[in-house]
Amino acid sequence: MSDLVYPPVVALAKTVFRLLDLRITVHGGEHIPREGGAVLASNHVSYLDFIFAGFAAVPAKRLVRFMAKQEIFANRLAGPLMRGMHHIPVDRDAGLGSYKAALAALKSGEVVGIFPEATISQSFTVKDIKSGAERMASAAKVPLIPMALWGTQRLWTKGRPRNLFQRHLPVSIYVGEPMPPKKGDNAAELRRRMSELLDRAQQEYPDKPSEPEDLWWLPAHLGGTAPTPGQ
């Protein structure tokens, strides 16, 4: 697969990260295979999560093909970039086509990224997840790798104003041990592993809210003012 667009975009992202002095830490990056197909399944707390989830694969020299909603591909600015990076559009009214495209990418040795919660979690906990990630991994006979991101919600998340140019912001990326492909419903196990990674990311995160108005980016169970999962 020809990649003329993706490498320059990665280089640009790295430059922006350096200029902003983002404190990005990747834990468990060795779990991303250097060759062969794999499914990366991450939690979802920010509109920018695909950038940072993909960043975790850079040390392994892999380019992740993310599954993203069709509306992004229809955008006149983002669309050409998404197509140029060979990401996979998801039409929620016709999901079979995107599933087949992701499966073909996996079987050809690509790494496919997916957010099994489907939408951003405003509670900053792992929501109920869809079964697509583990079904694809099983069908393609590739490992399923759980991930967790934390800190990205402070840049841009649902229901909050964008703050894209924060300097010195910590962003934590946790990559879990691969789950071998197997038949059956493994969604509960994947959610459990993603939740464990997210709990660790939240507990080990180096920043704490300095003002009461900053409590919004913490989940309720850690004393924050984010809505509970029930809300």
Side-chain angles (χ1 to χ4, degrees):
M1 185 180 293
S2 175
D3 276 300
L4 300 177
V5 176
Y6 214 145
V9 170
V10 171
L12 176 61
K14 286 182 175 180
T15 299
V16 173
F17 295 162
R18 283 195 298 269
L19 290 174
L20 295 176
D21 192 26
L22 296 186
R23 291 146 55 195
I24 303 172
T25 55
V26 179
H27 305 264
E30 69 276 7
H31 295 313
I32 297 178
R34 291 186 171 269
E35 58 183 23
V39 176
L40 300 185
S42 176
N43 70 315
H44 200 8
V45 293
S46 167
Y47 291 111
L48 305 177
D49 284 339
F50 72 98
I51 297 174
F52 293 95
F55 186 80
V58 170
K61 298 181 179 179
R62 305 302 303 272
L63 298 174
V64 183
R65 316 299 175 180
F66 283 96
M67 301 187 75
K69 59 184 181 180
Q70 178 67 44
E71 290 85 345
I72 300 176
F73 290 80
N75 183 279
R76 65 184 183 88
L77 296 178
L81 287 175
M82 296 293 283
R83 288 186 288 274
M85 291 185 281
H86 305 293
H87 294 312
I88 302 166
V90 177
D91 184 346
R92 290 175 180 171
D93 294 325
L96 183 59
S98 56
Y99 177 84
K100 288 182 176 179
L103 202 59
L106 290 168
K107 289 181 177 180
S108 69
E110 297 285 351
V111 178
V112 172
I114 187 169
F115 298 101
E117 296 166 284
T119 58
I120 288 174
S121 170
Q122 291 181 276
S123 68
F124 304 138
T125 61
V126 179
K127 299 163 52 177
D128 290 339
I129 66 174
K130 309 294 184 182
S131 62
E134 43 97 9
R135 285 194 296 112
M136 285 191 300
S138 176
K141 297 181 173 59
V142 300
L144 174 61
I145 303 174
M147 294 184 63
L149 303 171
W150 190 243
T152 58
Q153 78 278 14
R154 298 174 66 186
L155 291 166
W156 188 15
T157 192
K158 194 171 184 178
R160 299 289 306 185
R162 284 173 287 187
N163 195 358
L164 300 177
F165 300 106
Q166 290 190 69
R167 294 180 56 78
H168 319 302
L169 181 75
V171 173
S172 301
I173 305 168
Y174 284 72
V175 184
E177 293 185 7
M179 299 169 59
K182 61 180 180 180
K183 293 183 179 180
D185 185 1
N186 302 310
E189 175 64 13
L190 173 60
R191 183 173 184 264
R192 183 187 69 80
R193 294 196 187 198
M194 289 169 59
S195 295
E196 287 181 351
L197 290 168
L198 180 57
D199 286 343
R200 182 182 166 196
Q202 290 168 340
Q203 295 292 342
E204 297 178 358
Y205 192 65
D207 265 11
K208 303 297 179 188
S210 57
E211 302 291 342
E213 57 266 27
D214 292 334
L215 287 170
W216 68 266
W217 57 262
L218 274 186
H221 71 275
L222 293 179
T225 56
T228 66
Q231 292 170 330

